[in-house]
Amino acid sequence: CCFTLILGLAISATAFAADKIQYADTPFKEAAGFLTGLSIWPGERVDANRELTRADMAVICSILMEGRRFKAEQYNTAAELVKDVPAEHFAFHNISYCLDNQFMLPDGENFQPESAISFEAFCAVLLDILGIAHNDDPVLTAQANGLFDNVANLPQPTANITQATAFPIIVNAKYT
């Protein structure tokens, strides 16, 4: 009974959010509506053609792992661990979370928060979140685990990933 109510609220929030996003790509529109409706992704940052950055991935990672339990103020280590993530950065606490939990690692003393994330690195982080070992080929492992179901036009592993491709995969990951 309680589960039905929660599911109904989530579907209502998703439908409302999806109606506000105007893109022709239905899988992206549905996924973006779902992610914004559940507060996994801020609606004002939705753009199908925008490449996902490492900072964006840190936000997604921390929210997927912790959900509404994510307590931003508990994660402040980025300033100590990397030089290029000031405390004012929009994803400072999320990046700190990823560094603390080793979901995403810095390149030496820099996290490079505004650098685009490759499709392969994106898959590796999602698999780590899910606790799925991926060895040398995270893209193949993600495919074998159903993360690409109903997702068209996958990029090459070293190519940067856009929201249009990432969002449906994230929804698949959330329910894998």
Side-chain angles (χ1 to χ4, degrees):
C1 179
C2 189
F3 175 75
T4 305
L5 176 63
I6 292 169
L7 183 60
L9 291 172
I11 290 170
S12 297
T14 301
F16 175 75
D19 286 343
K20 294 185 168 281
I21 300 168
Q22 303 298 317
Y23 293 102
D25 182 4
T26 301
F28 169 73
K29 180 179 176 181
E30 290 173 356
F34 184 79
L35 295 174
T36 57
L38 294 179
S39 301
I40 294 171
W41 189 254
E44 68 275 4
R45 292 182 56 94
V46 171
D47 179 350
N49 298 315
R50 187 172 171 273
E51 291 180 340
L52 226 54
T53 65
R54 288 177 50 81
D56 296 335
M57 193 65 204
V59 170
I60 291 165
C61 177
S62 60
I63 301 301
L64 283 178
M65 287 300 296
E66 297 293 324
R68 296 190 188 275
R69 296 182 317 240
F70 180 69
K71 304 284 188 238
E73 63 279 357
Q74 293 179 352
Y75 300 98
N76 297 300
T77 56
E80 301 164 14
L81 300 173
V82 293
K83 293 181 176 181
D84 61 345
V85 183
E88 309 79 48
H89 192 281
F90 82 93
F92 174 78
H93 299 289
N94 310 90
I95 292 168
S96 295
Y97 175 87
C98 288
L99 291 170
D100 288 354
N101 291 285
Q102 298 186 345
F103 286 116
M104 299 176 73
L105 300 175
D107 179 15
E109 296 180 338
N110 294 305
F111 186 80
Q112 302 175 353
E114 304 314 317
S115 294
I117 190 166
S118 72
F119 179 48
E120 184 174 49
F122 169 82
C123 290
V125 172
L126 278 183
L127 292 168
D128 288 343
I129 291 169
L130 296 171
I132 299 172
H134 49 82
N135 301 321
D136 294 332
D137 195 341
V139 173
L140 187 60
T141 304
Q143 182 177 21
N145 282 277
L147 299 187
F148 306 152
D149 291 355
N150 302 313
V151 181
N153 304 317
L154 295 173
Q156 293 297 315
T158 57
N160 297 336
I161 189 166
T162 63
Q163 289 182 14
T165 304
F167 284 9
I169 295 171
I170 294 165
V171 170
N172 287 343
K174 181 130 176 78
Y175 295 99
T176 294

